[in-house]
């Protein structure tokens, strides 16, 4: 799907970045050519990249009291990432994101993973074990954007299967 996050969700990502909340784990398939297919977390990744690329400002009406005071003191109702004090930029850059990276997994298993993740269903212990769990600092997430198709990789017919999982 296209990028769909609305302003409250975008501002929620700002809140997550500034106040130490956990970013939910993303799931990506590493292709043999080194690129990634994002199977869960596309909206989070795109929002993060838009914030870092100064496309989504932090807005006063969504900010904490501390940030509201800061915005008032500098005379603005919003602030882009590039305008943040270096201490806040570094805080964001050092934030970590957990990525479940799948390599060498057959397409049927990936379809099942995609269906479960996008339906909010928990993964089985086996499904959790087939991923390489990696931690990526936000400073390095552009690697996922630059080396990713940032797409959902399955056709509607593959996703309409109601078969119970084998795994």
């Amino acid at each position: 799907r296209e990028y769909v996050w609305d302003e409250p969700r975008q501002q929620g990502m700002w809140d997550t970045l500034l106040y130490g909340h956990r970013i939910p784990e993303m799931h990506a398939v590493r292709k043999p050519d080194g690129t990634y297919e994002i199977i869960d977390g596309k909206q989070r990744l795109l929002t993060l990249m838009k914030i870092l690329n100064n496309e989504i400002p932090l807005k006063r009406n969504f900010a904490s009291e501390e940030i509201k005071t800061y915005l008032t003191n500098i005379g603005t109702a919003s602030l882009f990432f590039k305008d943040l004090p270096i201490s806040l930029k570094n805080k964001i850059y050092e934030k970590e994101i957990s990525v479940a990276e799948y390599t060498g997994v057959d397409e049927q298993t990936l379809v099942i993973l995609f269906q479960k993740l996008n339906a909010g269903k928990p993964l089985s212990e086996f499904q959790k074990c087939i991923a390489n769990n990696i931690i990526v600092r936000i400073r390095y997430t552009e690697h996922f954007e630059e080396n990713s198709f940032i797409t959902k990789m399955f056709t509607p017919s593959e996703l309409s299967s109601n078969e119970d999982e084998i795994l």
Side-chain angles (χ1 to χ4, degrees):
R1 67 180 175 169
E2 297 298 316
Y3 182 72
V4 297
W5 272 18
D6 58 10
E7 186 175 60
R9 299 234 27 208
Q10 293 169 350
Q11 295 301 306
M13 178 60 83
W14 268 109
D15 185 65
T16 296
L17 295 171
L18 291 172
Y19 303 108
H21 305 302
R22 183 183 159 277
I23 297 173
E25 181 175 61
M26 291 194 274
H27 295 259
V29 177
R30 186 177 181 125
K31 305 292 236 168
D33 66 2
T35 61
Y36 288 90
E37 295 275 358
I38 307 300
I39 60 173
D40 185 60
K42 174 184 173 184
Q43 298 296 313
R44 291 185 298 270
L45 180 60
L46 288 174
T47 301
L48 175 59
M49 299 314 300
K50 286 176 175 288
I51 286 171
L52 296 176
N53 291 327
N54 303 301
E55 297 173 37
I56 299 174
L58 171 61
K59 296 191 175 179
R60 181 184 303 161
N61 57 327
F62 288 95
S64 70
E65 289 306 314
E66 178 185 356
I67 298 296
K68 283 180 185 178
T69 301
Y70 178 76
L71 293 172
T72 300
N73 289 342
I74 64 171
T76 185
S78 63
L79 195 66
F80 285 98
F81 179 78
K82 68 180 175 60
D83 301 318
L84 290 176
I86 192 70
S87 61
L88 288 180
K89 284 182 187 176
N90 285 335
K91 181 179 182 178
I92 290 171
Y93 277 142
E94 294 305 314
K95 187 157 185 59
E96 296 177 339
I97 301 173
S98 176
V99 179
E101 178 190 74
Y102 302 90
T103 55
V105 179
D106 66 85
E107 190 153 334
Q108 179 184 358
T109 301
L110 290 174
V111 169
I112 292 167
L113 288 168
F114 175 88
Q115 290 172 328
K116 287 187 89 171
L117 290 165
N118 285 273
K121 295 179 181 177
L123 299 180
S124 70
E125 289 305 311
F126 176 77
Q127 290 165 329
K128 291 176 189 175
C129 290
I130 63 173
N132 298 315
N133 292 307
I134 58 176
I135 301 295
V136 178
R137 282 210 165 82
I138 286 180
R139 178 181 313 271
Y140 303 108
T141 55
E142 68 271 4
H143 175 76
F144 281 105
E145 184 185 45
E146 292 168 2
N147 296 293
S148 173
F149 297 107
I150 309 183
T151 60
K152 302 290 186 185
M153 60 189 296
F154 305 107
T155 65
S157 63
E158 290 171 315
L159 298 176
S160 64
S161 169
N162 289 327
E163 294 178 25
D164 264 345
E165 68 175 281
I166 299 166
L167 306 175

